[in-house]
Amino acid sequence: MASPSRGGATAPQALQSWDPGRYARNARFVADLGEPLLALLDPRPGERILDIGCGDGALTLKLAETGAAVVGIDSAPEQVRAARALGLDAHVADGQALAFDGEFDGILSNAALHWMRHPDAAIDSMWRALRPGGRIAAEMGGRGNVATIHAALVGELERLGIDAAAADPWYFPTVADYRQRLEGAGFRVERIELLPRPTPLPGELADWLQTFGEAFFAAVPAEQQQALIDNVVQTAGPTLRQDDGSWVADYVRLRFLAVKPPQ
Ligand code: BEZ
């Protein structure tokens, strides 16, 4: 296959690293909770499906088990290696600059599009990758996602005089924003909704921050990073820590089904 990506990833998301072991320990729930997307996509045996942001391949494997011919892409080489170790056809590529041309019946994307700070480029990539009549079933962080954690991170950076907006790797759009972008590109939006989904974390909030918040820490001198984590944990505790000491993060998903109209 030719290179699936037309360009490289850009900061600040590029500052995030994806260690498959750490991801499996702290983020297995991401793929587990993504399963409703399979039903929304409704893949049929033999269909060609692109998984954008395949990560370590846990959900991609379930997609492949439906009998679809699946290609996964992810910007993280270490995650792509983990996906290939499962026997998947996975490639390193930037979802905002895909080189696929009309070759997929469907696209699935779980918890990846909020890492793409150029949403119109991501939507254009998906449009080009689909054949006419093809569809996208996707879920990403929506407006208000992890709001308590996000506000605490931003507050800490601002306290240190750092430009939090420049360091922020996340894009959590409203329904109206993403609908407008999809329709602007030509998609017919069949469904789009914000779904509050309080999410129990498998461990400490500090572990979650180290797994997902690296781009924020990269903006801070190394000797201040632990204090930043401690302060965020302290600030978020009263809202997110449960009586038994466990953590429930305030996830809000934006889930949609959109179709590239037949010609
Ligand atoms: C999410 O999947 O909603 C998410 C992932 C990384 C950071 C924040 C939120």
Side-chain angles (χ1 to χ4, degrees), residues 51-261:
D51 183 355
I52 295 183
C54 65
D56 63 7
L59 186 59
T60 323
L61 192 58
K62 292 180 182 157
L63 184 54
E65 283 167 0
T66 67
V70 182
V71 175
I73 67 102
D74 201 283
S75 62
E78 55 277 46
Q79 293 281 63
V80 167
R81 271 196 296 278
R84 285 185 171 179
L86 296 177
L88 293 163
D89 182 10
H91 304 267
V92 178
D94 177 359
Q96 298 162 115
L98 295 176
F100 299 115
D101 185 13
E103 50 203 283
F104 290 100
D105 302 297
I107 291 175
L108 178 134
S109 183
N110 181 42
L113 295 172
H114 53 245
W115 293 101
M116 300 184 198
R117 294 290 308 261
H118 302 291
D120 295 321
I123 290 168
D124 280 354
S125 276
M126 293 191 280
W127 176 270
R128 282 193 308 274
L130 287 172
R131 64 160 174 79
R135 76 269 188 210
I136 316 170
E139 198 172 296
M140 63 193 291
R143 182 57 57 90
N145 192 36
V146 294
T148 305
I149 302 168
H150 192 230
L153 283 164
V154 168
E156 282 302 307
L157 291 195
E158 285 176 348
R159 200 176 54 75
L160 295 168
I162 293 166
D163 181 354
D168 191 341
W170 304 332
Y171 161 64
F172 299 139
T174 61
V175 164
D177 175 355
Y178 219 76
R179 174 190 283 279
Q180 194 176 30
R181 292 177 193 278
L182 286 165
E183 290 178 346
F187 282 105
R188 191 175 72 236
V189 177
E190 301 272 330
R191 278 180 63 175
I192 185 163
E193 56 199 328
L194 268 188
L195 303 164
R197 194 199 66 198
T199 300
L201 301 184
E204 295 297 322
L205 178 59
D207 297 329
W208 187 95
L209 288 166
Q210 270 156 344
T211 305
F212 293 109
E214 215 172 343
F216 288 99
F217 309 137
V220 172
E223 65 278 10
Q224 293 178 7
Q225 292 180 0
Q226 188 56 51
L228 189 154
I229 292 174
D230 293 345
N231 291 346
V232 170
V233 168
Q234 183 108 39
T235 305
T239 310
L240 303 182
R241 193 188 284 119
Q242 310 300 296
D243 290 345
D244 64 1
S246 66
W247 291 86
V248 175
D250 45 355
Y251 275 57
V252 177
R253 317 313 290 161
L254 180 70
R255 187 184 291 167
F256 65 87
L257 178 66
V259 177
K260 177 174 178 174

